[in-house]
């Protein structure tokens, strides 16, 4: 990053002018007399913890605010509820399991590997029951995917509502999954040609039973038993969950217990009525499984104000598409009037989160920060106005519109809408 002062301003002059702000105008300090450098600090005057202090490490106490949070008024209780990933405070693309959002219909259950069974029945040559140990013996794959709840950003349809990217966009996580392809197991059972659908359900009381088209099941679905290299956490479906890349989270059955091959969707057993999209004309559409391209600036944002004063600021965020890979992200600092391309931290991966960075020189002016992504199908993320023209304001699910953060001269940010 450039260390040069803005043209027309000397560094010294600029520093003097920005007395209200704590930090310097550049990304590094000129002072070498800092006591944190010149004096021996307490942590260098004794010994640290031994290697056995924490057999399984947790984040250091100074990071204790980087946690999942829920919004108490959103659901009646915490059993059938949802919380949010602290995406505002994370970087990179992998979501640590310990702060990856949870959505349960009847609570998270404790299921031992020894008690785990997965049944495949219905239109198959041979109904089968797999133990956990059986699953470990099939050829294995490892792939990274995002999971987004269809309700993510759902509170924002009628107006800017929640103050923080954690709450507006945090019903998402992105993990590296290890397991077996669903195709491998379906072939093992010998799925009949007449089987065009699967009915998939979990071992929890809600079962979260869902119908899944066979085409998708054979294409890229997985049965996962590891996430980010370790066992799934209880809240994410330990010991085994279904992975449905690019499709809405409710199909990703946790504590997966049964897969029934059928020749039609099993509507009567589903909560289909819950997962429909209200349109502007009052009609509803259902089975909108794919998550369209979407992006959000995670910092600066309401929970991540600019506290370091004028000068270089790293604007960063996440982009994803259920239809393919992210090919680009543009950032606007003026509410969508002008756009400039952001840097992708790495080339977009299919159906996985992509991190973007936009290096900006901020001189304390108000900003209306927006990001707009494009995916490999050529689809461009819509504005809120464009989305409302089609979907109205009475929807809950599938809100993938461009988000605006208003950054004020003092560095604080607020969730707003621009017309
Ligand atoms: N068995 C079971 N699977 C389930 C659910 C559930 O309540 N029970 N909730 C679904 C919904 S609506 C979502 S968004 C995702 C959330 O996954 P997570 O808790 O790992 O974030 O799990 C899905 N799978
Ligand atoms: Mo969901």
């Amino acid at each position: 990053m450039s260390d040069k002062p803005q043209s027309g301003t000397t560094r010294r002059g600029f520093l003097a002018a920005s007395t209200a702000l704590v930090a310097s105008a550049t990304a590094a300090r000129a002072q070498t007399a800092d006591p944190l450098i010149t004096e021996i600090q307490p942590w260098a005057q004794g010994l640290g913890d031994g290697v056995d202090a924490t057999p399984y490490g947790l984040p250091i106490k100074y990071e204790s605010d980087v946690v999942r949070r829920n919004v108490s008024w959103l659901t009646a209780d915490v059993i059938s509820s949802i919380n949010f990933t602290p995406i505002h405070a994370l970087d990179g693309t992998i979501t640590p399991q310990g702060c990856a959002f949870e959505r349960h219909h009847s609570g998270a259950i404790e299921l031992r590997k020894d008690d785990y069974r997965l049944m495949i029945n219905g239109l198959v040559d041979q109904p089968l029951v797999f133990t956990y140990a059986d699953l470990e013996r099939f050829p294995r794959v490892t792939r990274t995917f995002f999971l987004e709840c269809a309700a993510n950003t759902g509170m924002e349809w009628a107006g800017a509502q929640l103050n923080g990217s954690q709450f507006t966009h945090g019903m998402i996580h992105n993990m590296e999954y290890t397991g077996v392809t669903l195709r491998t197991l379906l072939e093992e059972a010998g799925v009949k040609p007449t089987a065009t659908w699967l009915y998939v359900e979990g071992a929890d009381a809600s079962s979260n039973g869902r119908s899944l088209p066979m085409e998708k099941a054979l294409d890229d679905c997985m049965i996962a038993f590891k996430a980010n290299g370790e066992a799934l956490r209880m809240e994410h479906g330990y010991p085994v969950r279904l992975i449905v890349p690019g499709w809405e989270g409710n199909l990703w059955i946790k504590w997966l217990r049964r897969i029934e091959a059928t020749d039609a969707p099993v509507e009567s057993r589903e909560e289909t009525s819950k997962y429909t999209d209200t349109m502007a004309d009052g009609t509803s559409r259902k089975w909108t499984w794919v998550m369209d391209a979407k992006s959000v600036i995670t910092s600066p944002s309401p929970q991540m104000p600019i506290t370091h004063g004028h000068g270089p600021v790293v604007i960063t965020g996440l982009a994803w598409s259920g239809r393919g890979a992210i090919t680009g992200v543009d950032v606007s600092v003026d509410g969508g009037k002008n756009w400039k391309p952001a840097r992708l931290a790495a080339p977009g991966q299919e159906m996985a989160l992509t991190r973007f960075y936009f290096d900006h020189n901020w001189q304390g002016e108000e900003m209306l920060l927006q990001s707009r992504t494009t995916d490999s199908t050529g689809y461009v993320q819509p504005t809120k106005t464009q989305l409302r023209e089609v979907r109205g304001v009475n929807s809950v699910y599938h809100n993938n519109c461009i988000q605006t953060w208003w950054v004020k001269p003092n560095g604080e940010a607020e969730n707003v809408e621009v017309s």
Side-chain angles (χ1 to χ4, degrees):
M1 188 177 286
S2 167
D3 195 38
K4 291 198 194 93
Q6 287 285 91
S7 56
T9 339
T10 64
R11 182 185 298 180
R12 197 177 300 273
F14 184 71
L15 272 175
S18 61
T19 43
L21 295 149
V22 266
S24 77
T26 64
R29 286 154 198 267
Q31 306 99 306
T32 49
D34 187 337
L36 282 163
I37 281 291
T38 56
E39 281 163 30
I40 296 172
Q41 299 298 317
W43 49 85
Q45 293 171 21
L47 303 175
D49 283 349
V51 290
D52 286 336
T54 43
Y56 193 99
L58 288 173
I60 194 165
K61 61 186 175 190
Y62 310 122
E63 297 292 318
S64 61
D65 57 333
V66 184
V67 289
R68 300 186 273 235
R69 287 195 177 85
N70 68 350
V71 172
S72 56
W73 50 262
L74 216 57
T75 51
D77 60 61
V78 290
I79 303 298
S80 181
S81 191
I82 193 145
N83 58 22
F84 301 86
T85 307
I87 53 169
H88 64 289
L90 301 177
D91 212 312
T93 55
I94 294 294
T95 316
Q97 289 200 73
C99 66
F101 91 96
E102 313 159 67
R103 167 75 174 108
H104 318 303
H105 290 80
S106 52
I109 56 166
E110 250 175 41
L111 182 54
R112 296 188 322 158
K113 278 183 188 165
D114 285 352
D115 296 333
Y116 180 76
R117 297 290 184 275
L118 171 63
M119 182 180 202
I120 301 186
N121 69 333
L123 297 173
V124 292
D125 295 336
Q126 177 65 59
L128 293 173
V129 172
F130 304 85
T131 64
Y132 185 86
D134 294 337
L135 294 178
E136 285 187 305
R137 299 175 65 190
F138 286 94
R140 218 170 280 172
V141 292
T142 288
R143 292 191 66 186
T144 301
F145 298 112
F146 76 81
L147 179 165
E148 184 181 16
C149 177
N152 200 21
T153 322
M155 289 78 77
E156 302 293 313
W157 277 105
Q161 171 125 264
L162 296 169
N163 245 334
S165 61
Q166 176 169 23
F167 304 110
T168 55
H169 290 76
M171 291 184 199
I172 192 162
H173 52 62
N174 190 66
M175 304 191 197
E176 186 199 66
Y177 294 102
T178 298
V180 179
T181 67
L182 184 49
R183 174 185 275 272
T184 301
L185 298 186
L186 291 173
E187 283 173 355
E188 188 75 7
V191 183
K192 293 201 194 317
T194 50
T196 47
W197 288 81
L198 294 178
Y199 183 71
V200 286
E201 63 182 15
D204 52 329
S206 80
S207 92
N208 200 70
R210 292 288 183 274
S211 292
L212 180 69
M214 184 64 80
E215 205 185 337
K216 178 67 174 173
L218 293 175
D219 181 23
D220 57 9
C221 291
M222 275 174 74
I223 308 282
F225 38 78
K226 293 277 163 74
N228 302 341
E230 62 181 356
L232 287 166
R233 295 286 165 85
M234 172 176 90
E235 58 269 36
H236 301 124
Y238 179 91
V240 177
R241 93 174 300 169
L242 184 63
I243 306 299
V244 188
W247 288 28
E248 58 188 31
N250 71 74
L251 294 157
W252 295 49
I253 311 300
K254 301 191 275 193
W255 316 289
L256 182 68
R257 72 178 286 270
R258 199 171 68 89
I259 300 171
E260 183 183 334
T262 61
D263 57 7
V266 185
E267 285 197 64
S268 57
R269 282 184 265 168
E270 275 192 88
E271 295 175 80
T272 41
S273 58
K274 284 183 84 175
Y275 290 91
T276 55
D277 302 329
T278 308
M279 308 298 277
D281 64 5
T283 61
S284 290
R285 56 174 200 183
K286 69 171 183 174
W287 288 340
T288 46
W289 297 295
V290 187
M291 302 311 293
D292 281 314
K294 183 164 168 180
S295 70
V296 65
I297 289 172
T298 51
S299 179
S301 61
Q303 296 159 290
M304 295 292 280
I306 303 174
T307 55
H308 54 55
H310 297 176
V313 58
V314 175
I315 297 172
T316 185
L318 293 165
W320 60 95
S321 169
R323 298 189 192 274
I326 291 303
T327 51
V329 179
D330 296 319
V331 166
S332 174
V333 297
D334 56 12
K337 293 192 191 91
N338 298 285
W339 294 95
K340 280 187 192 158
R343 280 186 294 124
L344 303 187
Q349 281 174 268
E350 300 260 304
M351 298 166 287
L353 291 190
T354 298
R355 169 67 54 181
F356 65 87
Y357 298 108
F358 185 83
D359 305 304
H360 186 62
N361 195 328
W362 182 62
Q363 297 304 327
E365 69 280 6
E366 280 191 325
M367 295 190 283
L368 288 168
L369 280 185
Q370 297 186 333
S371 65
R372 177 184 69 188
T373 192
T374 305
D375 72 12
S376 48
T377 69
Y379 175 93
V380 181
Q381 185 182 5
T383 64
K384 205 161 189 178
T385 307
Q386 286 167 338
L387 197 62
R388 278 186 185 143
E389 277 164 17
V390 184
R391 301 282 306 283
V393 293
N394 294 319
S395 273
V396 174
Y397 301 109
H398 294 273
N399 182 346
N400 68 321
C401 73
I402 291 171
Q403 171 68 41
T404 312
W405 305 125
W406 170 35
V407 179
K408 305 171 197 179
N410 68 1
E412 283 172 9
E414 212 176 284
N415 182 5
V416 295
E417 286 186 5
V418 292
S419 50

